[in-house]
Amino acid sequence: MLDKSMPKKLIAAGVGALLLTVPASAEVTGETAYIFNTLLFLIGGFLVMWMAAGFAMLEAGLVRSKNVADICVKNVALYALASIMWMLMGYNLMYSGVDGGYAGAFFSLWNPDDAAALAEGAAHDPAGYAAGSDFFFQMVFVATTASIVSGTVAERIKLFPFLIFTAVLAGLIYPIQGAWKWGGGWLDAAGFADFAGSTLVHSTGGWAALVGAIILGPRLGRYTKEGKVRPMPGSSLPLATLGTFILWFGWFGFNGASQLALGTAADSIAISNIFVNTNMAAAGGAFAAAIVTKLVYKKVDLSMVLNGALAGLVSITAGPDTPLPYQATIIGAVGGVLVVFAVPFFDKLKIDDVVGAVSVHLVCGIWGTMAVPFTYADASFGTQALGVVAIGAFVIVTSAITWFALKFTLGIRLSDEEEELGSDLAELGLEAYPEFGRGSQKLSA
């Protein structure tokens, strides 16, 4: 009788013999590392690009129905414009500091032809990557910064002045302060730590949004003469929830690909830990916001829970690579608590932030940056504070100059009649939800 186990024994013997012929420690070639590094940038980049959809849906859900189409246009247009400005000047301006200055960075196009570098150097450079992958990954970050502003100033800002501000933010403000750290500038030399941009991306967008909201003023009827807040519910909380989950999903690329390498086992372990910490911080922020709103307001506020998740994500972005999972959860939870109290704080100051972006991105961006030394021994609270203050001061001044210049030239705010009508009809001549809106009502009516 034939032994039915004989084929399995032969296979096992063959595999064993093969394993004996393989070196115990096989090194990854430089070209293989180059491919994996490039792939990390590209995957991370399209995940962060998908966050543009998240911002659009979050903001569309939190603005009133008469402003939904306009906020969608702003989000599509700002992404497109930020991409163009990054190509024209932002990329070179941000990284020209590595070569000793900003001279020649303006309107200098990046050259995507790195085929020669691939052929000659990739096999010997395990830290290498395709230039286009780096350009793309860095580009989607500047679009995220601009998206933070759009939600804060929604429902009363004109379309084209907003886009002009976006161009200045993407082409000048963001890359100059980014060069101080990621371009090898003075903050990097000082030891400032911001792994994926709690300050360089989120606080920068938050400062620009805060200055814009102050100069623009609140929406009509938002605050009573007694200073009380008049609720202005958004168009769709399910849409806002979808937007939050898209942002949560995209954040894995935002933080994970900021490891900037996937050519070694150590890099893959680091990225895995970053994914875990990113998720746990969001979970901590969402859960903390739910608990606090229940305790303070006796009801769980869905919009606060959504912002709590985003607050946790912003909080962990400065240092997602060093905490243990429970530490990341605590960092995110603190962010979730902060956002619950920051939103009414800004309302008391009569600073009208439609989606709570200043509370999420600025307040929690600062917290996340200052929390880095708790888990990263090489960071210091003094240097972290220096970076927060320096970048904050720079963005406040440059944003204020830009906003005021637009205000006194083109004008930045819709008229009272246009704002009452809604920016959909006033700016676009159409409505996102015509069957529920004012239909054929015209601006002149």
Side-chain angles (χ1 to χ4, degrees), residues 276-277 280-281 284 316 322-333 374-375:
V276 170
N277 287 338
M280 295 314 302
I316 200 62
T322 53
L324 295 171
Y326 82 89
Q327 294 172 319
T329 308
I330 294 172
I331 291 170
F374 289 123
T375 60

Side-chain angles (χ1 to χ4, degrees), residues 108-125:
S108 176
L109 294 178
W110 161 73
N111 182 4
D113 184 13
D114 63 324
L118 171 61
E120 296 176 9
H124 310 289
D125 182 12

Side-chain angles (χ1 to χ4, degrees), residues 172-232:
L172 287 172
I173 298 174
Y174 172 81
I176 288 175
Q177 60 85 35
W180 295 351
K181 167 60 184 176
W182 291 340
W186 68 275
L187 276 180
D188 185 57
F192 179 67
D194 192 359
F195 187 85
S198 283
T199 287
L200 273 69
V201 176
H202 296 282
S203 287
T204 295
W207 286 119
L210 176 63
V211 174
I214 293 172
I215 295 173
L216 190 63
R219 289 167 289 175
L220 292 176
R222 176 59 172 169
Y223 304 108
T224 66
K225 293 181 180 179
E226 295 76 24
K228 293 183 179 180
V229 180
R230 181 177 287 116
M232 293 181 171

Side-chain angles (χ1 to χ4, degrees), residues 86-97 101-102 104-111 175:
W86 190 245
M87 177 190 69
L88 291 177
M89 56 192 295
Y91 182 69
N92 287 334
L93 185 58
M94 185 161 173
Y95 293 104
S96 62
Y102 297 127
F106 295 93
F107 299 101
S108 176
L109 294 178
W110 161 73
N111 182 4

Side-chain angles (χ1 to χ4, degrees), residues 124-142:
H124 310 289
D125 182 12
Y129 44 80
S133 67
D134 177 57
F135 173 86
F136 176 67
F137 182 64
Q138 303 301 337
M139 179 193 74
V140 292
F141 273 60
V142 68

